[in-house]
Amino acid sequence: MSTPALTSKPCHGLVIMRGNDAIHLGLMLLALAAAYLVPFELLLLAYVVLGPAHYFTEISWLHDRSYYLPHRGIAVALAIVAVVAALIDNASWFGFAMWGALIVCAMLAATTSAVESMLLFMAAIALSAIMYSSGSSLAVIGILIPTLVHVSLFTLIFMVLGAYRSGSRVQATLVVVYLAAIATILLLPQTAEIRIASFARVGQDYFGNVGPALGRLFGVPGLVLVPTFLGT
């Protein structure tokens, strides 16, 4: 049985939303509502349950496509880099490892000629020099690549590419909804608090540095993403 296409079908000047697009819209709105009602619990669910489940179901699909790299062995090398990076205590060196891995992957997967690879490499060297001279920038990028960039920015890129390739106005609308949801959360931050003490401790241990990193990046001092614990 084939999977229904993620496209919309024009009819007499109108656009009819297909089933998968309607599901995607409903899930985005549900996630937005949950982000206000139980923000941190939703974050834990995404990272502890949904994230691993996503990769568990996707890994064979990526393997069949050689992970979009010239050779599958490169994916093994990147996995080793990830394990080693997880053992790095210094935030700047960790950021350098994440930044370097991202650039290497971009050169291997997104460029089609030696000239493009060289231009990307030169741009990466220039940006690396700027971040190095800024002191804490490498540490910040190390925090943001596996969180904000990987989860949010890459999702946006995939959605935009899908809408562009399919020529679907409905999928383009879903991109707008996604951006509107992010803007809503940034402009009208959540006020819900964590009611389970263990969740508050986990949040501080694993995600407490994301808020300050975003604050340094955007010039917002004292930015905290982990809600406070509401004791009884």
Side-chain angles (χ1 to χ4, degrees), residues 53-175:
H54 162 69
Y55 286 111
F56 182 75
T57 57
E58 188 184 32
I59 195 69
S60 62
W61 180 82
L62 288 172
H63 185 76
D64 293 338
R65 290 157 179 80
S66 297
Y67 304 94
Y68 292 96
L69 295 170
H71 193 277
R72 289 175 180 170
I74 299 174
V76 176
L78 290 172
I80 295 174
V81 170
V83 172
V84 173
L87 303 176
I88 298 176
D89 290 330
N90 184 279
S92 293
W93 279 109
F94 174 80
F96 178 78
M98 293 294 99
W99 174 246
L102 178 64
I103 296 303
V104 170
C105 290
M107 291 175 61
L108 292 172
T111 60
T112 58
S113 67
V115 174
E116 290 181 355
S117 297
M118 182 58 65
L119 290 175
L120 178 60
F121 181 74
M122 292 173 62
I125 290 296
L127 288 174
S128 300
I130 294 173
M131 289 189 292
Y132 180 78
S133 64
S134 300
S136 63
S137 293
L138 280 174
V140 171
I141 203 69
I143 295 170
L144 297 183
I145 285 178
T147 54
L148 181 70
V149 173
H150 173 228
V151 177
S152 184
L153 181 59
F154 283 4
T155 297
L156 176 61
I157 292 173
F158 293 145
M159 291 178 67
V160 171
L161 287 176
Y164 174 76
R165 290 172 179 172
S166 66
S168 169
R169 284 180 286 177
V170 170
Q171 290 190 22
T173 302
L174 293 179
V175 174

Side-chain angles (χ1 to χ4, degrees), residues 15 17 40 83 112 123 216 223 232:
V15 176
M17 180 176 291
F40 190 70
V83 172
T112 58
R216 287 194 294 271
L223 182 62
T232 56

